[in-house]
């Protein structure tokens, strides 16, 4: 039997002024009919480029420089764009990474799905309409007739990804390429989406090429794993053998960094800096932040009960420790973070910083408060001014508060850049020249510039690859150990929370359903929702994962 | 409905500011129309007679009183009397409008068609070099002065190629070159914005999804990119309406056509304050109305801007 998809010595290059730039070298692997193969690697490893090359959808300037891409034995690598159009959609389906930006915002869902049939001239208007509704229903969307009329912005991220999956399997292709299909979604949604792909695959015998940076996802879903680094395949084989006996150092590191795999030590409330120095300890309050009974309501129109985004939320952050708030989107965790950072005023409840009520601060007092509480955002691409250099960015808080002269600030920049383990020569670079991990380090350095007492990290590592994520978490732990400050860590990712936090509050629909020391909550969850969240962590239920410990 | 009322209110404020600013600026100019028309020594009018004329035009009272007088006149539809022609401004503009409306309307229409055609062709054209040439064209158009373009068009099409007669042209023929002269400089920035916006939309992930369905470039452009790319261009189109007025002044002067542009040019030369005041308000009114229309069209093109029903 011939393989469904075979890549042989594939070499992808981009045209550049200094000659071709090779980004994928000598990549060979195959996908059998009905098989799930995971292509694993960090960003920049060439995994997405490889999968785009299969579809012939490389960004402009990219081309297959050598090697073959065979679909059922026929080489597509030299096919023109026009010729490949008959393969795309019909024989190879595509599920994109980010469901939010992957549907046309100005056309209804049903019309976009129907397009897939029309492009390949399958069926008349009526049969297409019936098929679209069937597909939406099969993809697990309630009320398909309504969904077909709705526009993308009226659907949640998970629902949009269901639409995109329906789109990918619409013409029952032999192969579906799923490029990080779940990395933009909540864990529980992630699990349901992966289950859906699995079900549809079984129904139609579709093969799946699953592109992911998360070895946990790959381990759980794929029969074979192909590990890529720097545009080359470093290792490939059956999933079990890769997990049990990773031959390459890179694979071992990926395994160690995958947050859901392996057992990590729980962080215990180790004696922080203030306890080591008994003299300081007497004078200081170990509670950095105390929030009690926070409530925030949003009006949803006249005559209707307001929506309670945050409902009676209380928690504490101790000095030198991390308190995590976990929950899915819509759970109210980000609103809570915004209340704590005083970007939003609560309708009830109080926030105390170092024993002083800061709930209603205004004017100069509020400005002073901003020095003591700093925020690191999720998206390291959008939270840095693209026109400033790294050195300017990290000392901007000092400049805003008029601290130090030009010279002192230059020294501070050097110190801060060094502190977050960025190479000194990056000081004059601009954000566009940095990788995602480096940008997040810059954002962290900026947050530390004013030596705050509390840093609020809002999904601060969620946009990063697992290996980069692991390095950033290490950095945060190290800085906390040195400076003894408190972290409020907002995340939807339980695996990361398990790693970084000392205590945790689990939020759902605005309420805290469970809270306590991280170890206790994770080892013996009391609430069903907590259990559901824990089960959804990819790789967690895997026996192989435990064997690694 | 509340939205419409608010927008109308804003429009009225804009008009009021335009009216006041024009009045202040015209007052601040040294000399006035009466000085230009009646005080030249050849007419030999005595100072008393000139003072009478001033009184007849209401120009002998303090500026604030004049302002109120003019404002009340405008609100009642009385735009005052042209010093230069001695006729009511309303009649003057009323007779010029039928000449200018087809020019401005067609000019804008042609500009839009030209811009869309350029932007789309520069994306779809078969050869790389052709696409680049089409892309570069708008930058050339932007830098062409209107008066020069008019003269060149007359030279080439009327005198060299003899396609359009200069003398004895019927009304349609007489419109061709002025419309082109007016349209080309307006189409250029529009085409630039549209082309750039098409490029941007082409890079968005949803276009990758559409291409992965097997859709060809033309289908992608028409069905998925076009409507998204039009949004920023429509805003610019609303702003470019303002260009029509300046364009009409030059075009009508170059081609020797009667119309609002010509009256404006004459009024400026003679400091005919009443006429200028009326023309500015007319221009502001058109501008405000068009931009109001643009804002109302937006939600039809982009469903995200419709009132969001709060979804759970």
């Amino acid at each position: 039997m011939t393989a469904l998809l075979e890549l042989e010595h594939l070499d992808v290059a981009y045209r550049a002024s200094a000659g071709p730039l090779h980004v994928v070298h000598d990549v060979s692997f195959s996908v059998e009919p009905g098989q799930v193969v995971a292509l694993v690697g960090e960003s920049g490893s060439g995994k997405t480029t490889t999968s785009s090359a299969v579809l012939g959808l490389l960004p402009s300037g990219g081309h297959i420089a050598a090697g073959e891409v065979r679909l059922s034995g026929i080489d597509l690598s030299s096919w023109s764009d026009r010729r490949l159009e008959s393969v795309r959609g019909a024989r190879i389906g595509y599920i994109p990474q980010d469901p939010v930006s992957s549907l046309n915002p100005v056309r209804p869902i049903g019309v976009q799905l129907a397009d897939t049939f029309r492009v390949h001239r399958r069926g008349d208007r009526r049969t297409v309409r019936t098929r679209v509704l069937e597909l939406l229903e099969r993809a697990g969307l309630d009320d398909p007739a309504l969904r077909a009329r709705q526009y993308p912005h009226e659907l949640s991220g998970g629902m949009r990804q269901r639409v995109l999956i329906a789109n990918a399997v619409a013409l029952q292709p032999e192969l579906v390429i799923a490029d990080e299909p779940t990395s933009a979604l909540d864990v529980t949604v992630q699990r349901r989406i992966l289950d859906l792909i699995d079900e549809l695959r079984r129904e139609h015998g579709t093969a799946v090429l699953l592109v992911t940076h998360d070895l946990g996802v790959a381990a759980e879903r794929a029969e074979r794993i192909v590990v890529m680094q720097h545009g080359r395949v470093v290792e490939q084989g059956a999933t079990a053998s890769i997990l049990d006996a990773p031959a390459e150092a890179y694979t071992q590191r990926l395994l160690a960094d995958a947050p859901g795999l392996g057992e990590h030590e729980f962080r215990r409330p180790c004696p922080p800096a203030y306890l080591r120095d008994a003299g300081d300890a007497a004078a200081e309050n170990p509670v950095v932040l105390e929030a009690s009974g926070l409530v925030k309501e949003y009006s949803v129109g006249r005559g209707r009960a307001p929506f309670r985004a945050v409902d009676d939320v209380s928690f504490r952050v101790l000095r030198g420790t991390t308190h995590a708030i976990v929950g899915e989107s819509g759970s109210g965790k980000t609103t809570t973070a915004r209340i704590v950072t005083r970007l939003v005023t609560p309708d009830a409840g109080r926030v105390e910083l170092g024993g002083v009520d800061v709930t209603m601060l205004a004017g100069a007092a509020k400005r002073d408060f901003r020095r003591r509480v700093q925020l690191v955002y999720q998206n390291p691409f959008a939270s840095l001014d693209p026109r400033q250099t790294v050195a300017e960015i990290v000392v901007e808080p000092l400049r805003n508060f008029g601290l130090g002269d030009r010279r002192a600030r230059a020294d501070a920049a050097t110190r801060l850049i060094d502190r977050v383990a960025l190479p000194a020569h990056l000081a004059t670079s601009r954000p566009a020249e940095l990788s995602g991990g480096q940008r997040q380090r810059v954002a962290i350095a900026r947050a530390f510039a004013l030596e705050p007492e509390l840093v609020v990290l809002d999904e601060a590592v969620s946009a990063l690859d697992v290996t980069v994520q692991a390095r950033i978490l290490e950095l945060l732990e190290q800085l906390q150990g040195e400076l003894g400050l408190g972290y409020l860590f907002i995340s939807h990712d339980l695996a990361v929370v398990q790693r970084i936090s000392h205590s945790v509050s689990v939020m759902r629909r605005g309420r805290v359903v469970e809270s306590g020391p991280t170890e206790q909550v994770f080892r013996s969850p009391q609430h069903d929702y907590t259990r559901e969240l824990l089960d959804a962590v990819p790789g967690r239920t895997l026996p192989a994962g435990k064997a690694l410990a | 409905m509340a939205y419409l009322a608010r927008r109308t209110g804003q429009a009225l404020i804009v008009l009021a500011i335009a009216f006041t600013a024009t009045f202040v600026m015209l007052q601040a100019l040294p000399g006035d129309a009466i000085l230009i028309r009646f005080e030249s020594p050849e007419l030999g009018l005595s100072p008393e007679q000139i003072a009478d004329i001033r009184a007849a035009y209401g120009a002998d009272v303090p500026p604030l009183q004049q302002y109120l007088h003019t404002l009340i006149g405008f609100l009642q539809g009385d735009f005052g009397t042209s010093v230069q022609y001695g006729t009511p401004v309303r009649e003057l503009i009323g007779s010029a409008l039928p000449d200018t409306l087809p020019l401005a309307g067609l000019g804008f229409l042609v500009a839009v068609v030209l811009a869309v055609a350029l932007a789309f062709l520069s994306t779809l054209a078969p050869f790389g070099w052709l696409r680049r040439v089409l892309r570069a064209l708008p930058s050339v158009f932007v830098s062409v002065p209107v008066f020069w373009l008019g003269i060149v068009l007359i030279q080439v099409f009327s005198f060299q190629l003899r396609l359009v007669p200069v003398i004895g042209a019927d009304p349609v023929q007489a419109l061709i070159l002025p419309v082109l002269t007016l349209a080309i400089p307006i189409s250029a920035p529009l085409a630039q914005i549209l082309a750039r916006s098409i490029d941007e939309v082409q890079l968005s992930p949803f276009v990758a999804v559409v291409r992965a369905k097997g859709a060809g470039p033309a289908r992608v452009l028409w069905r998925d990119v076009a409507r998204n790319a039009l949004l920023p261009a429509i805003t610019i189109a609303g702003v470019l309406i303002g260009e029509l007025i300046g364009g009409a002044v030059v075009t009508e002067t170059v081609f020797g056509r009667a119309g609002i542009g010509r009256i404006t040019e004459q009024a400026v030369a003679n400091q005919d304050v009443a006429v200028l005041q009326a023309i500015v308000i007319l221009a502001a009114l058109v501008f405000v109305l068009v931009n109001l229309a643009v804002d109302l069209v937006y939600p039809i093109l982009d469903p995200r801007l419709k009132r969001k029903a709060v979804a759970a």
Side-chain angles (χ1 to χ4, degrees), chain B residues 46 49 51 71 94 98 112-113 141 143 161 165 189 194 203 238 256 272 309:
Chain B
S46 68
Q49 282 169 312
L71 183 61
V112 169
V113 171
F141 286 173
S143 30
L161 301 174
L194 196 55
L203 290 178
D272 203 340

Side-chain angles (χ1 to χ4, degrees), chain A residues 4-5 31-35 54-55 71-72 84-95 113 116-117 120 122 131 135 164-178 197 199-209, chain B residues 212-214:
Chain A
L4 174 64
L5 176 74
V31 182
E32 303 293 329
Q35 199 180 32
V54 172
L55 279 164
L71 188 66
S72 303
L84 278 170
E85 281 164 16
S86 64
V87 172
R88 294 182 198 141
R91 299 188 61 197
I92 306 180
Y94 170 67
I95 304 172
L113 272 180
T116 312
F117 293 92
H120 295 279
R122 303 275 179 91
R131 283 290 292 137
L135 272 169
L164 286 156
I165 291 170
N167 173 60
V169 300
L171 302 178
Q172 304 193 353
E174 298 138 77
L175 174 70
V176 166
I177 295 179
I197 296 177
E199 279 169 39
L200 292 171
R201 173 183 78 82
R202 262 177 255 247
E203 264 170 47
H204 305 301
T206 316
V208 176
L209 180 61
Chain B
K213 287 176 183 179

Side-chain angles (χ1 to χ4, degrees), chain B residues 108 185-190 233 235-245 287:
Chain B
F108 196 69
I186 293 176
S187 74
L190 207 53
T235 309
I236 298 298
V239 175
L240 285 174
I241 285 281
E243 296 276 307
L244 279 174
I245 294 140
F287 192 78

Side-chain angles (χ1 to χ4, degrees), chain B residues 140-203:
Chain B
V140 177
F141 286 173
V142 167
S143 30
V144 168
V146 184
F147 70 90
W148 182 82
L149 183 69
I151 294 167
V152 168
L153 285 177
I154 295 176
Q155 272 292 338
V156 173
F157 289 98
S158 297
F159 296 147
Q160 307 267 321
L161 301 174
R162 300 191 179 279
L163 290 175
V164 187
V166 186
I167 301 155
D170 63 40
V172 177
Q173 285 176 328
L175 264 177
I176 297 174
L177 292 184
V179 162
L180 274 181
T181 310
L182 194 57
I184 287 175
I186 293 176
S187 74
L190 207 53
Q192 277 179 323
I193 299 281
L194 196 55
R196 210 169 297 154
S197 152
I198 286 174
D199 285 349
E200 219 166 275
V201 177
Q202 291 272 27
L203 290 178

Side-chain angles (χ1 to χ4, degrees), chain B residues 5-260:
Chain B
R6 204 173 65 235
R7 287 304 317 258
T8 313
Q10 284 171 356
L12 288 176
I13 294 171
V14 170
L15 286 178
I17 293 173
F19 179 84
T20 311
T22 319
F23 187 86
V24 170
M25 278 189 275
L26 291 174
Q27 284 293 324
L29 286 175
D32 63 15
I34 296 169
L35 195 77
I36 292 171
R37 170 122 192 238
F38 299 106
E39 288 184 15
S40 67
E42 291 111 75
L43 286 173
L45 294 171
S46 68
E48 290 76 33
Q49 282 169 312
I50 289 174
D52 285 347
I53 291 168
R54 280 193 181 277
Y57 280 105
D60 59 339
V61 293
L64 189 65
Q65 217 173 322
Q66 282 189 42
Y67 175 77
L68 289 175
H69 180 78
T70 321
L71 183 61
I72 291 163
F74 265 73
L75 291 178
Q76 292 168 343
D78 170 19
F79 303 148
T81 307
S82 161
V83 174
Q84 186 195 346
Y85 300 102
T87 46
V89 174
R90 201 161 67 169
E91 276 171 32
L92 203 62
I93 289 180
S95 68
L97 219 45
D99 289 317
T100 304
L101 272 184
L103 175 68
L106 278 175
F108 196 69
L109 201 69
V110 171
V112 169
V113 171
L114 213 59
V116 172
L118 257 181
F120 279 29
L121 281 178
S122 68
T123 312
L124 282 182
F127 310 106
W129 63 267
L130 188 55
R131 285 197 293 270
R132 278 193 292 278
V133 167
L134 288 170
R135 266 302 144 92
L137 224 45
S139 330
V140 177
F141 286 173
V142 167
S143 30
V144 168
V146 184
F147 70 90
W148 182 82
L149 183 69
I151 294 167
V152 168
L153 285 177
I154 295 176
Q155 272 292 338
V156 173
F157 289 98
S158 297
F159 296 147
Q160 307 267 321
L161 301 174
R162 300 191 179 279
L163 290 175
V164 187
V166 186
I167 301 155
D170 63 40
V172 177
Q173 285 176 328
L175 264 177
I176 297 174
L177 292 184
V179 162
L180 274 181
T181 310
L182 194 57
I184 287 175
I186 293 176
S187 74
L190 207 53
Q192 277 179 323
I193 299 281
L194 196 55
R196 210 169 297 154
S197 152
I198 286 174
D199 285 349
E200 219 166 275
V201 177
Q202 291 272 27
L203 290 178
S204 51
F206 78 80
V207 172
V209 171
V210 176
R211 290 186 65 203
K213 287 176 183 179
R219 194 188 174 95
V220 171
L221 184 62
W222 281 110
R223 294 199 160 231
D224 287 283
V225 175
R227 214 160 117 189
N228 284 285
L230 273 179
L231 295 170
I234 286 176
T235 309
I236 298 298
V239 175
L240 285 174
I241 285 281
E243 296 276 307
L244 279 174
I245 294 140
V249 171
V250 179
T251 312
E252 289 180 352
T253 309
V254 169
F255 288 92
R257 290 173 59 89
I260 299 281

